[in-house]
Amino acid sequence: MTTEDPTTERWALITGATAGIGAAFARRLAADGWHLVLVARDAARLDATATELTSRYGRQVVTLPADLSTDDGCATVEGRLAAQPPVDLLVNNAGISLNRPFLRSTAEDESRLLRLNVHAVLRLSLAALQQMTRRRHGAVINVSSVAGFGAIAPGSTYPASKAWVTNFSESVGQSARPFGVRVMALCPGYTRTEFHDRAGIDMSGIPAAAWLRADDVVDEALRDLRKGKLVSVPSWKYKAAVAGLRHAPQWLLHRVTRDIRGRIDGQ
C-alpha cells in the first residue's frame, strides 16, 4: 500500500474530514492523486471542502453526510465501504471529547462519546477490512491519541475511549497483515485543530512548544503506514511522553496529569 503512484485509481474514505487532522489527510491524499469520499455531519461544509479540493487538485471528491454516533450514520458509510469503486484507505478520524467530569456527565453524552469514538471505529473498520482482506489490499488508519496511553485528565472518559482504539488497531492489524492489509493507530499529542474549541475545553495553559501541526501529523502517519507500523506516535516529544506514560509510577502520573475536568464541586 503506497501513496506515491498517481496513475493508479485509488479511493480514500475519511471521516471527520472537514477540519483538523481529517482535513489535513484530505489535502495530502488529494495532492498525492487519491480520489476521496469525505464524511462529516455538516453537509454544507462538506460541499465547500469538496469544491476546494476538486478545484485545487483535480481529483474526484464525493461527500457523504452522516452522523456516526447513530446507527443510521454508520450504516450509510458501511454501504459505501461495501460498494464500488473499492476504498483502498479508510481514515477513521471523527471523534469527540467532553468538557466535564464523568461524575457530572450524563448517560446520553457519555454514550454518544463511546458510539463515535469506539462503536463507529469498530463498525467502519470491520466493513472496510472485510472488503480489503478479500482483495488482499488496503489500509485503515484509526486516529487515536497519546491520551490513550495513560489515565490522564482525571474524570474524562476520552482517554479510555482512545486506549480502546489503540489496542483494537494494534490487535486487528496483526490479524490483517497476512492478507496484505495494514491497520494502524495514529496517536498524536496536542494538535492545532478545532477539536478542543468544539468541546469548549480551555487549552490556553498548554505551552506553544507542545502543539503539533495537523499537516506534520499526517506526513508522519503516512510514513509510518508505509513502514508497516501498527502504532504511530508523531514527534519525538510525544514518543518520549508515551514512554513516560507507560513506565512512570502511577502516583507520579496521576499527580502530573491532573485536569480541571476531573474536579467536581467541593473539591
Side-chain angles (χ1 to χ4, degrees):
M1 193 272 173
T2 179
T3 61
E4 280 84 2
D5 182 3
T7 65
T8 304
E9 292 293 308
R10 300 163 299 170
W11 283 86
L13 188 150
I14 306 167
T15 71
T18 57
I21 292 173
F25 266 111
R27 291 191 299 270
R28 169 61 189 275
L29 292 171
D32 285 351
W34 290 73
H35 303 303
L36 304 176
V37 180
L38 306 183
V39 179
R41 289 186 300 166
D42 189 330
R45 197 171 184 185
L46 274 174
D47 289 342
T49 301
T51 298
E52 179 183 357
L53 291 171
T54 300
S55 175
R56 180 177 298 182
Y57 301 109
R59 311 312 296 167
Q60 298 181 57
V61 182
V62 175
T63 62
L64 199 60
D67 181 353
L68 295 176
S69 68
T70 68
D71 286 333
D72 287 346
C74 286
T76 296
V77 182
E78 286 169 330
R80 176 58 189 88
L81 290 168
Q84 296 293 323
V87 170
D88 299 298
L89 173 63
L90 167 65
V91 180
N92 275 315
N93 170 70
I96 58 170
S97 186
L98 301 173
N99 187 24
R100 69 178 68 90
F102 181 72
L103 298 182
R104 291 292 180 266
S105 191
T106 66
E108 180 181 6
D109 285 342
E110 295 293 342
S111 295
R112 180 168 180 265
L113 180 147
L114 287 175
R115 290 185 66 83
L116 185 57
N117 293 10
V118 172
H119 187 248
V121 172
L122 182 152
R123 285 186 58 169
L124 301 192
S125 294
L126 181 59
L129 290 170
Q130 286 174 335
Q131 301 299 320
M132 292 174 180
T133 53
R134 291 191 189 105
R135 300 194 311 270
R136 294 186 174 267
H137 174 78
V140 175
I141 298 176
N142 292 323
V143 179
S144 186
S145 173
V146 163
F149 290 101
I152 63 176
S156 171
T157 51
Y158 175 80
S161 73
K162 292 304 183 180
W164 184 91
V165 172
T166 301
N167 282 277
F168 166 78
S169 302
E170 191 169 5
S171 176
V172 173
Q174 294 177 69
S175 63
R177 183 175 281 166
F179 296 92
V181 176
R182 300 177 187 176
V183 180
M184 186 183 79
L186 170 59
C187 303
Y190 295 120
T191 305
R192 295 288 186 189
T193 69
E194 299 176 2
F195 180 80
H196 298 101
D197 289 340
R198 285 185 172 184
I201 301 171
D202 181 8
M203 304 301 292
S204 60
I206 304 300
W211 291 96
L212 304 176
R213 294 176 61 251
D215 290 336
D216 295 336
V217 168
V218 169
D219 288 346
E220 189 155 352
L222 293 175
R223 284 197 299 270
D224 285 346
L225 184 68
R226 289 193 294 270
K227 293 175 183 177
K229 290 189 177 183
L230 295 170
V231 178
S232 171
V233 180
S235 171
W236 65 267
K237 65 185 106 176
Y238 284 108
K239 288 180 173 66
V242 167
L245 288 169
R246 282 175 160 169
H247 303 297
Q250 290 297 302
W251 67 265
L252 178 61
L253 176 64
H254 295 165
R255 177 169 294 182
V256 301
T257 59
R258 288 192 63 80
D259 183 284
I260 59 172
R261 280 170 288 173
R263 301 175 190 167
I264 59 176
D265 293 343
Q267 289 188 319

